[in-house]
Amino acid sequence: MDRTIIERLTKLTQEEREILRGGQVEQGDYSATDRFIVNSAKLLDGKELDLRPHTRFVDFPEHGHDYMEFMYVYSGSISHVIGKETITLEQGDILFLNRHVRHSVRRAEQADVGINFILSNPFLQVVFHSVQNNPVMSEFLINNFDEAGEGEYLFFHTRDNFPIRNLMDNLIYAVVNRSHEVYAGLVSLLFSYLAYYRDTLANALRVTSPEANLRRAVLGYLEQHYPNATLAELAQTLGYTPAYLSRRIRTVCGKTFQCLLQDERMKAAEKLLRTTSLGTEEIIRAVGYENQSHFYRVFFKTFGTTPHKYRKNAD
């Protein structure tokens, strides 16, 4: 590995200096929600893929992500806690975390250098086409893309695997030097290597939680019943009061029931515009709107154009 890159990845960050002076992890630096969901927009800043050294000298509190990440331990060791499981990565090991899993990280010392790779969903969609037949990574990515997916991790012991270690050095070099043209190829190759050297897969777990079950039930209901879905009907089906379910949906899904319903109706309207010859008024009724003016306002806010122009541009 290039010495200047090693120095960049191992030197103390401003955040770590603050922590050594008695500070703590500032949730607002990472997340815009009370549930501590690390926001890719804050970390990627418009990039498709990036890396950042893991914050040392403090227990990093439980959090989730709105993106998929994986950690590569460059030196030392780092322990993650996922549910009741503790996963300790030694030098050279890799841990993949999908965007539905929550975890915390135990205090790492100065010699413990973990590199977090942050992968945007659009980037992963591109990579997915090259790994659809990959028995290890394809299902993991599918679950990551699923809005109602469950938390899942893959833990690889790759310390003694030279091809994978060499590939990780190349990937780090490419990301640090912004060699965008090789990102997809290197990540696809990493996924292929991990499938080929399948004995490196030390542990894999899909974490089923009450939150994941509720998210799946809500999104599944909306997908099937969006034209006339109501919070009251869903609450009765699930055995909750509407007020309680409303609060739980906002906490678990990050949006209100009405916002989720609106998203589903817009998705259906967009598909009908692209794939059918139905008139706009018929589509409005089909997706559950009675007020045409309201539909037009929501559609324009969602897609930035009118239904007529959207259909014309899609042809």
Side-chain angles (χ1 to χ4, degrees):
M1 178 73 72
D2 185 278
R3 181 174 297 277
T4 58
I5 293 178
I6 295 173
E7 292 174 354
R8 175 174 173 177
L9 296 176
T10 57
K11 72 177 182 180
L12 295 182
T13 65
Q14 182 61 39
E15 180 186 31
E16 290 172 335
R17 293 191 185 95
E18 293 293 335
I19 288 169
L20 289 172
R21 287 194 287 264
Q24 294 294 319
V25 172
E26 294 293 335
Q27 182 172 326
D29 292 341
Y30 296 90
S31 175
T33 69
D34 293 337
R35 294 186 63 234
F36 202 165
I37 304 295
V38 180
N39 189 334
S40 58
K42 285 180 173 286
L43 302 184
L44 287 173
D45 192 25
K47 297 184 287 292
E48 58 185 7
L49 181 153
D50 206 356
L51 62 79
R52 69 185 306 274
H54 172 68
T55 301
R56 297 165 292 186
F57 312 116
V58 68
D59 288 333
F60 203 97
E62 183 181 281
H63 61 283
H65 318 90
D66 65 1
Y67 56 89
M68 191 189 94
E69 77 166 8
F70 67 91
M71 174 183 278
Y72 174 68
V73 173
Y74 180 78
S75 65
S77 65
I78 297 180
S79 294
H80 295 246
V81 180
I82 305 175
K84 297 180 180 180
E85 299 285 330
T86 299
I87 302 101
T88 299
L89 285 71
E90 304 292 344
Q91 181 180 13
D93 289 344
I94 301 173
L95 177 67
F96 282 84
L97 300 161
N98 79 354
R99 68 188 179 103
H100 304 299
V101 75
R102 293 185 66 83
H103 69 125
S104 59
V105 188
R106 290 181 178 164
R107 178 187 173 111
E109 301 304 328
Q110 186 159 356
D112 303 319
V113 179
I115 303 172
N116 290 314
F117 287 84
I118 305 155
L119 300 92
S120 69
N121 279 333
F123 174 77
L124 284 175
Q125 292 283 1
V126 172
V127 171
F128 179 69
H129 293 296
S130 65
V131 298
Q132 291 185 61
N133 297 321
N134 182 323
V136 175
M137 299 305 302
S138 59
E139 187 176 349
F140 183 81
L141 290 178
I142 290 171
N143 187 42
N144 177 75
F145 296 141
D146 187 352
E147 291 295 333
E150 298 174 340
E152 187 174 8
Y153 72 82
L154 299 174
F155 174 33
F156 296 91
H157 278 315
T158 47
R159 175 173 185 165
D160 299 320
N161 188 292
F162 175 77
I164 293 176
R165 294 287 302 276
N166 184 57
L167 181 59
M168 289 305 305
D169 284 349
N170 288 330
L171 180 58
I172 292 168
Y173 185 89
V175 176
V176 169
N177 288 286
R178 300 287 174 232
S179 302
H180 305 273
E181 64 277 4
V182 299
Y183 287 178
L186 289 173
V187 173
S188 297
L189 187 57
L190 173 63
F191 290 173
S192 297
Y193 273 16
L194 292 171
Y196 181 76
Y197 297 104
R198 61 184 62 198
D199 59 322
T200 63
L201 181 59
N203 196 10
L205 182 66
R206 184 168 292 184
V207 185
T208 302
S209 65
E211 290 80 8
N213 290 335
L214 177 60
R215 186 166 56 246
R216 187 184 306 107
V218 171
L219 297 179
Y221 168 78
L222 290 174
E223 185 177 0
Q224 293 182 30
H225 303 286
Y226 63 84
N228 46 26
T230 66
L231 179 64
E233 181 182 61
L234 178 58
Q236 184 177 22
T237 301
L238 298 179
Y240 298 127
T241 65
Y244 173 79
L245 181 60
S246 178
R247 292 194 299 272
R248 289 291 293 151
I249 289 174
R250 190 182 187 98
T251 298
V252 171
C253 300
K255 293 183 178 182
T256 65
F257 176 84
Q258 287 302 321
C259 285
L260 293 171
L261 176 58
Q262 178 177 288
D263 290 347
E264 195 63 40
R265 285 175 169 173
M266 286 298 105
K267 185 168 68 174
E270 185 270 343
K271 183 177 180 180
L272 289 172
L273 283 168
R274 284 190 296 104
T275 62
T276 75
S277 58
L278 290 174
T280 304
E281 292 185 6
E282 293 175 284
I283 290 174
I284 292 173
R285 290 193 297 270
V287 300
Y289 281 95
E290 296 180 359
N291 186 317
Q292 292 189 19
S293 296
H294 180 58
F295 171 85
Y296 279 106
R297 285 196 301 271
V298 173
F299 190 93
F300 190 88
K301 183 178 179 180
T302 303
F303 298 103
T305 187
T306 65
H308 174 73
K309 290 181 178 178
Y310 188 92
R311 170 175 271 168
K312 185 177 181 180
N313 291 333
D315 290 339

